[in-house]
Amino acid sequence: MSANPAPRRVALLTLGCARNEVDSEELAARLDEGGWQVSTDADGADVVVVNTCGFVEKAKQDSIETLLAAADTGAKVVAAGCMAERYGRELAASLPEAQAVLGFDDYTDIAARLDKVVAGEQFESHVPRDRRELLPLTPVQRQASTVVIPGHATVDEHTPAHLRRVLRRRLDESPVASLKLASGCDRRCAFCAIPAFRGAFVSRDPQELLAEAEWLAHRGVRELVLVSENSTSYGKDLGDPRALEKLLPQLAAVDGIVRVRASYLQPAETRPGLIEAIASTPGVAAYFDLSFQHSSEPVLRRMRRFGSTEKFLDLLAMARDLSPEAGARSNFIVGFPGETSADVDELERFLSEARLDAIGIFDYSDEDGTEAAGMSGKVHPDTVQRRYDRISALADELCTQRAEERVGSIVEVLVDTVADGEIEGRAEHQAPEVDGSVSLVGDLDVKPGDLVRALVTATEGVDLIATPVDRG
């Protein structure tokens, strides 16, 4: 009798945002069911799947470099994710090192696709299309659609949502996991190409989300990070614009979950009820990840967005009235077409008054297929660079000052890592990956996932140093 053949091995490498991480864990589950041995280590893999990012030029370049590095391992290479969906056949033609370029429509049969790759079959890549056109224009009609939406996999549509098997396999043992609220976006920001390749906005069923939260909690997850392209739109296609306000306390009540964190909030859609739910619900981090992008009203209008310095400051004040220690972060673009020196001064004024804990600064660059790419009034690249350097330096200074304001306060730290006597975690105002962290000092017997109350004693840039008071 011949020995059983060695299992086929696939490595999943994930780039970009937390939404991609959720998509990778769906792919991992599908591949596992298809007989593939899944890991995140390219060494010894038969196939390396790179879940690419296609948001901005640097992210696309990182994706290309990762694909080329994967090819150097000798494994067969497959490009998936946003960049693959966005460029399809064009990417395949320009990247012969990849044996296949897969779009989102390939996800449901990912194991069979890799079987063909291993067998040496040629794979015809898709021609990209605007995925917004695949779904009904009216949001409430989208729930019945059968369009493939990564991270929204339904195993059995006839089974009640809370009883469906979760199609997800964890790729790490972190006490923190992302939970995808929705996919796609109905906004038309002039600088953003994401809706065209991610599609129109579609919420996930709240009972399905609660079931997945319980599934994650049973696997050691203690903090849930709610992700989407626009979390403030959650529920609009379910007929309930207050759905997120209702969902937050339900998620916080899941046994084993000690913290729920909402992210990707649109300021123009952030209602008082949602602010109150985030700032006041036990177990929900008083943390506001607000997509401001700029604060000068003329620039925001050209961006096809809404708001102003005063409106944004009022929004932050509303949150801090309810929770004085609430955290806040945002990203900003400098050098957008038509931006003037006065606009930059206005942005500087906002940043100086906003007291944000974390600030991301991006220099504008044209993106394929966006309205802004064809706008007049382009700012000279040298001027963009000067503005970027100026605002970045200010942001670093302000975030350091904000961290110093927290010295003497008590924070609840979720322990992320314990290694070589060093304990690292995050307070409520610190999201994973994108914000600062807390170093716990002193004699403490803890493990990842523990919740520790601690006194902030010092800072290192945006990072805090704290002494434990007691453990939750």
Side-chain angles (χ1 to χ4, degrees):
M1 181 180 294
S2 60
N4 291 329
R8 296 158 298 171
R9 291 171 292 180
V10 56
L12 270 170
L13 307 183
T14 307
L15 303 176
C17 65
R19 302 184 294 275
N20 258 14
E21 294 171 5
V22 177
D23 295 351
S24 285
E25 294 196 346
E26 177 197 327
L27 291 175
R30 292 187 182 279
L31 287 164
D32 188 61
E33 288 185 346
W36 285 83
Q37 187 179 86
V38 184
S39 76
T40 57
D41 185 358
D43 290 341
D46 298 297
V47 179
V48 177
V49 176
V50 180
N51 189 351
T52 60
C53 179
F55 179 37
V56 293
E57 193 58 40
K58 184 180 184 305
K60 289 184 280 188
Q61 188 58 43
D62 288 344
S63 295
I64 294 294
E65 290 174 1
T66 302
L67 287 161
L68 294 175
D72 289 340
T73 67
K76 295 183 182 295
V77 176
V78 171
C82 291
M83 187 177 180
E85 173 63 37
R86 185 176 181 184
Y87 294 103
R89 191 172 296 175
E90 178 185 345
L91 178 61
S94 63
L95 193 71
E97 292 84 356
Q99 275 67 45
V101 173
L102 304 182
F104 296 151
D105 291 336
D106 295 305
Y107 280 21
T108 53
D109 295 316
I110 185 68
R113 297 290 190 270
L114 295 200
D115 289 342
K116 292 181 178 180
V117 168
V118 169
E121 294 185 29
Q122 294 296 312
F123 198 92
E124 187 70 22
S125 298
H126 67 285
V127 176
R129 53 185 171 174
D130 189 334
R131 293 189 72 87
R132 290 172 293 192
E133 298 174 357
L134 303 180
L135 289 163
L137 187 62
T138 305
V140 293
Q141 296 177 347
R142 295 172 189 164
Q143 290 292 319
S145 173
T146 58
V147 172
V148 174
I149 305 174
H152 291 234
T154 298
V155 178
D156 178 6
E157 62 184 11
H158 302 295
T159 301
H162 67 287
L163 297 177
R164 294 172 189 162
R165 180 169 56 85
V166 174
L167 189 61
R168 181 170 180 176
R169 175 185 161 176
R170 296 221 66 202
L171 291 171
D172 61 38
E173 297 179 351
S174 170
V176 184
S178 296
L179 182 63
K180 183 177 281 193
L181 288 175
S183 283
C185 186
D186 288 341
R187 300 187 72 87
R188 293 294 184 267
C189 300
F191 55 82
C192 185
I194 289 175
F197 58 84
R198 273 290 184 178
F201 185 88
V202 181
S203 302
R204 293 181 65 197
D205 185 293
Q207 294 304 313
E208 188 175 296
L209 290 168
L210 287 167
E212 187 168 328
E214 291 177 357
W215 182 88
L216 289 166
H218 290 158
R219 284 153 182 79
V221 170
R222 301 272 278 165
E223 177 177 331
L224 299 172
V225 181
L226 309 184
V227 300
S228 71
E229 276 76 22
N230 177 7
S231 297
T232 37
S233 282
Y234 179 71
K236 73 174 188 179
D237 53 327
L238 302 174
D240 186 359
R242 297 183 60 241
L244 183 55
E245 299 168 34
K246 299 173 184 177
L247 180 64
L248 285 169
Q250 293 178 287
L251 289 171
V254 171
D255 188 31
I257 299 300
V258 297
R259 181 184 289 164
V260 177
R261 183 184 304 277
S263 61
Y264 302 102
L265 307 176
Q266 285 288 345
E269 298 179 29
T270 304
R271 301 167 299 279
L274 180 58
I275 293 173
E276 183 177 359
I278 293 173
S280 307
T281 304
V284 175
Y287 174 83
F288 293 84
D289 175 16
L290 293 156
S291 176
F292 290 130
Q293 302 300 346
H294 213 284
S295 73
S296 171
E297 197 164 4
V299 175
L300 287 167
R301 285 176 179 168
R302 287 177 67 83
M303 288 179 168
R304 308 296 180 227
R305 297 175 67 85
F306 305 94
S308 66
T309 292
E310 301 308 327
K311 289 179 181 177
F312 293 163
L313 290 175
D314 287 347
L315 192 159
L316 291 168
M318 189 183 306
R320 288 167 177 152
D321 283 346
L322 294 166
S323 178
E325 297 300 318
R329 81 170 323 274
S330 191
N331 295 323
F332 300 87
I333 299 171
V334 295
F336 190 80
E339 183 189 65
T340 66
S341 296
D343 295 323
V344 180
D345 291 342
E346 183 67 1
L347 175 58
E348 188 171 273
R349 181 172 78 87
F350 171 71
L351 293 174
S352 298
E353 296 183 29
R355 296 170 60 234
L356 299 174
D357 293 279
I359 301 170
I361 306 297
F362 294 87
D363 51 334
Y364 172 81
S365 61
D366 289 338
E367 275 296 311
D368 300 335
T370 62
E371 180 185 0
M375 281 184 174
S376 60
K378 294 292 173 62
V379 181
H380 191 280
D382 291 345
T383 303
V384 174
Q385 186 63 49
R386 285 196 299 272
R387 292 176 181 176
Y388 172 82
D389 292 342
R390 168 187 166 187
I391 299 299
S392 294
L394 175 64
D396 290 344
E397 179 184 348
L398 293 171
C399 290
T400 298
Q401 291 175 5
R402 179 64 178 142
E404 291 170 351
E405 291 177 13
R406 294 190 181 275
V407 173
S409 67
I410 299 293
V411 293
E412 285 196 328
V413 181
L414 184 79
V415 176
D416 284 329
T417 60
V418 179
D420 301 324
E422 295 186 357
I423 304 170
E424 291 288 327
R426 290 168 298 100
E428 278 193 53
H429 69 281
Q430 297 168 321
E433 306 293 339
V434 294
D435 298 338
S437 64
V438 181
S439 295
L440 292 174
V441 296
D443 186 17
L444 190 64
D445 180 19
V446 295
K447 63 183 183 301
D450 285 344
L451 197 64
V452 179
R453 293 183 75 246
L455 173 68
V456 180
T457 57
T459 64
E460 291 183 354
V462 297
D463 299 326
L464 307 181
I465 299 171
T467 303
V469 175
D470 56 60
R471 179 175 143 194

